[in-house]
């Protein structure tokens, strides 16, 4: 806010100035408040814009002196004024756990099976994303229609196999809540975890009063047979999610599940494994 004086200016372009613009509103307000012309000659010539307006409101009340804090002045400036800023988070840019630098190689779409497993994984991923949004009784019919699309080039046996395995995953008692009411897909997560800035997107998330359940889909990666063979990059990824969500929900347990879409099966990571990889 101006303490001594304030200048209000404007300019006209090729288009006519719109009614009710800020310049007109301020000018009209100053006129009602008793403003006088700055350029008397221009005002006498009828050029109101060139004449300008002056609204003078002199100080009439006595200025009260503020009490000086002599003690504070004697102490000098505060210590924080000379304190160096804290170091930037490490790394300076957000860590994206879902894009590990040293993850396992992706399954090739040009492999000996002519990319069938690769294509299958993408189809299963799509079903796991979209089917949970439908009522449970409508999922099978919707999946059948999706799998029967000519573009997928699936024979009857392949469609039946993918349908059976996908529905089995959605109705697995251990995972059904993750795909049921209240669960969410593609949830963005930005948080600090152990000094690391995490920026990620969780494939599937469920938060209840007592627990948090998260799942990450691995679409183009060959699944291991044992928990011990899960690539360290994936364990570290889920450990980062778990640490961030524990900070957000300190009173709840956090379960982490990997879902391998190439073979449509899930794998819950044990707490001990995640503890050792926590950031």
């Amino acid at each position: 806010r101006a303490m001594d004086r304030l200048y209000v200016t404007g300019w006209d372009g090729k288009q006519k100035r719109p009614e009710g613009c800020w310049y007109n509103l301020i000018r009209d307000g100053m006129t009602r408040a008793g403003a006088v012309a700055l350029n008397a000659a221009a005002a006498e010539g009828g050029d109101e814009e060139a004449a300008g307006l002056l609204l003078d409101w002199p100080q009439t009340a006595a200025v009260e002196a503020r009490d000086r804090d002599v003690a504070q002045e004697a102490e000098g400036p505060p210590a924080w004024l000379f304190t160096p800023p804290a170091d930037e988070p490490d790394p300076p840019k957000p860590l994206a756990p879902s894009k590990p630098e040293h993850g396992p190689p992706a399954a090739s779409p040009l492999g000996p099976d002519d990319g069938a497993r690769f294509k299958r994984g993408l189809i299963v991923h799509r079903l796991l994303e979209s089917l949970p949004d439908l009522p449970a009784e409508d999922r099978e019919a919707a999946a059948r229609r999706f799998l029967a699309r000519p573009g997928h080039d699936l024979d009857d046996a392949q469609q039946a196999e993918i349908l059976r395995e996908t529905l089995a995953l959605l109705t697995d008692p251990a995972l059904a809540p993750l795909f049921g009411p209240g669960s969410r897909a593609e949830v963005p997560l930005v948080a600090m975890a152990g000094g690391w800035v995490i920026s990620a997107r969780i494939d599937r998330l469920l938060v209840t009063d007592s627990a948090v359940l998260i799942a990450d889909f691995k679409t183009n990666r060959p699944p291991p047979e044992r928990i011990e063979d899960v690539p360290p990059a994936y364990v570290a990824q889920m450990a980062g999610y778990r640490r961030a969500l524990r900070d957000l929900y300190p009173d709840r347990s956090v379960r982490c599940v990997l879902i391998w879409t190439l073979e449509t099966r899930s794998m819950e990571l044990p707490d001990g494994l995640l503890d050792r990889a926590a950031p």
Side-chain angles (χ1 to χ4, degrees), residues 4-182:
D4 296 318
R5 63 182 64 186
L6 172 67
Y7 294 92
V8 179
T9 62
W11 62 278
D12 286 322
K14 295 181 179 180
Q15 297 182 353
K16 183 181 179 181
R17 190 187 314 164
E19 292 294 332
C21 69
W22 277 109
Y23 182 86
N24 289 353
L25 294 174
I26 295 171
R27 180 199 60 197
D28 295 344
M30 290 179 64
T31 301
R32 292 193 299 270
V36 297
L38 272 172
N39 188 328
E44 292 176 0
D47 190 347
E48 296 182 358
E49 300 298 342
L53 292 174
L54 170 65
L55 180 60
D56 190 14
W57 215 308
Q59 176 77 34
T60 56
V63 178
E64 297 181 1
R66 295 182 179 179
D67 295 334
R68 295 172 56 191
D69 191 338
V70 179
Q72 184 177 9
E73 291 181 1
E75 293 176 359
W80 56 260
L81 188 62
F82 304 102
T83 302
D87 294 335
E88 292 288 332
D90 185 17
K93 64 179 182 179
L95 172 69
S98 61
K99 299 178 181 178
E101 295 182 2
H102 305 291
S108 173
L110 303 177
D113 62 353
D114 199 24
R117 293 176 71 230
F118 187 90
K119 180 179 68 175
R120 183 188 193 281
L122 294 176
I123 292 173
V124 172
H125 193 156
R126 178 59 177 164
L127 288 172
L128 292 176
E129 281 184 334
S130 57
L131 290 181
D133 294 333
L134 301 175
E137 62 272 15
D138 296 337
R139 292 176 180 176
E140 180 175 349
R144 289 184 183 277
R145 291 193 299 271
F146 179 77
L147 293 170
R149 291 180 179 177
H152 294 150
D153 193 24
L154 299 172
D155 60 32
D156 292 343
Q158 291 171 323
Q159 294 179 38
E161 180 186 13
I162 294 176
L163 176 66
R164 182 182 65 256
E165 294 184 359
T166 302
L167 293 180
L169 197 63
L170 293 176
T171 56
D172 183 341
L175 298 178
L178 187 62
F179 300 102

